[in-house]
Amino acid sequence: MNTNNSEEMGGNDDGNTTKCCASCGITNLQNNQVKLKTCTGCKSAQYCSVQCQKDHRPRHKQFCKRRAAELYDEKLFQQPDGTYEGDCPICCLPIPIDPEDSTRMFCCLKLICNGCQYAYQKSEAEQGKSSSCPFCRQPRSFPQEDDVVEADLLKRIEANDDVARAVAMRQMGLKRYHEGNLNDALRYWEMGAKLGDARAHYQLSWMYQDGHPGVEQNVKKGVHHMKEAAIGGHPEARHNLGAYEYQEGKLERAVKHWIIAANLGCVESMEVLEMCFAQGDISEEGFNTALRAHRAVVDATRSPQRLLVKENGY
């Protein structure tokens, strides 16, 4: 039995490192038939068999739990490249953070910014064409056309495309929620979350945190989904996670969350950071860096067409 407490066996002075089973100490150099498998929790320890992993578990458990938490924190506090909604597929500019500034096409589930939507509708009207989707050119279905929308969503759910399926499940969950069918809403959001949809995780976070008829309150589960939504680039989830950490007395972590949210364009987080700066909870350099990043992200979502729509209320 290996008596070394480390999870790896050091190699020679030439800089090479030989991996070994954390339980019995066997290496793949000793037996080229051995294929070491890495612990899925800590990503450090390796084992030559399931039995060795079970034997080593009592000694490894505490380290594994601590290291897994460290790895999750590293993932949690990474700045996402953008929000979970991504870019408008027409103009390729980031989708504005305000949901009122874009429109979901139920035929293809693409999210189109209002600037592109307006420009396309104007072009259709000038040519005397009936309304169609700016992206896939299929006849548009509208929220009030309940049967058509549901058929479109179910079609996307059955598609062999996990991204489209996740968005469809999220949207179907929202539809069921507004119909008052919370059980079905929860079921669709759970399926969407399993496919990695940040909005589905966000919906589940407040369902579990607040508790709803038929949904037992579970704050721990709610916070987990909030973290997953934040990792996926959901600005509001990230902002709320900062508020949660603040209430738990973890100011440093809260400020980190608000900086990440501000860098995604969240105005509320930027306002909170301003208050933190006034109270001395964030340095002047840190605040100015966050402010510059926030302004750059917001500016990146602007275009002449989008401003025209917003100013004239089209």
Side-chain angles (χ1 to χ4, degrees), residues 13-224:
D13 292 336
D14 61 3
N16 293 327
T17 300
T18 302
K19 302 285 186 179
C20 69
C21 175
S23 181
C24 69
I26 193 172
T27 71
N28 51 10
L29 293 181
Q30 294 171 310
N31 185 346
N32 58 16
Q33 299 297 316
V34 172
K35 293 185 178 180
L36 299 175
K37 294 185 178 181
T38 304
C39 172
T40 57
C42 66
K43 311 295 184 186
S44 300
Q46 294 188 317
Y47 300 98
C48 65
S49 67
V50 173
Q51 188 58 50
C52 270
Q53 187 171 12
K54 288 180 179 179
D55 292 343
H56 191 245
R57 184 62 181 166
R59 289 188 293 144
H60 178 62
K61 186 176 180 179
Q62 188 174 358
F63 167 83
C64 184
K65 187 176 181 180
R66 183 175 68 251
R67 182 57 184 150
E70 291 171 353
L71 290 173
Y72 190 79
D73 255 17
E74 290 175 13
K75 181 181 177 183
L76 179 62
F77 286 108
Q78 284 181 352
Q79 178 71 51
D81 293 333
T83 71
Y84 71 102
E85 294 291 16
D87 299 338
C88 171
I90 307 297
C91 64
C92 298
L93 293 177
I95 290 290
I97 196 171
D98 186 346
E100 297 297 321
D101 292 337
S102 56
T103 304
R104 177 75 61 188
M105 300 293 131
F106 289 101
C107 45
C108 57
L109 290 182
K110 297 297 183 182
L111 192 63
I112 312 294
C113 76
N114 286 355
C116 290
Q117 172 68 7
Y118 167 72
Y120 186 72
Q121 284 182 330
K122 183 180 178 182
S123 174
E124 281 187 317
E126 290 172 350
Q127 298 176 54
K129 294 182 178 179
S130 57
S131 182
S132 63
C133 171
F135 183 79
C136 69
R137 300 297 196 267
Q138 294 297 312
R140 278 194 65 184
S141 54
F142 296 89
Q144 60 269 27
E145 297 175 315
D146 191 70
D147 292 342
V148 178
V149 169
E150 180 147 343
D152 284 340
L153 290 176
L154 290 173
K155 182 179 178 181
R156 302 308 299 179
I157 287 173
E158 294 170 2
N160 188 25
D161 180 344
D162 282 350
V163 175
R165 290 177 66 221
V167 175
M169 288 171 182
R170 174 220 302 175
Q171 295 300 128
M172 185 66 87
L174 289 169
K175 187 174 183 297
R176 291 290 186 262
Y177 177 80
H178 291 301
E179 291 170 353
N181 189 339
L182 298 189
N183 288 334
D184 263 12
L186 193 69
R187 181 170 62 87
Y188 278 113
W189 287 333
E190 291 280 9
M191 290 190 291
K194 285 180 181 178
L195 291 173
D197 186 71
R199 176 68 186 276
H201 277 295
Y202 177 67
Q203 298 298 137
L204 290 171
S205 73
W206 57 259
M207 286 282 281
Y208 283 117
Q209 278 193 295
D210 298 342
H212 285 72
V215 182
E216 184 178 353
Q217 187 178 29
N218 187 327
V219 175
K220 184 178 180 180
K221 201 169 184 178
V223 171
H224 165 73

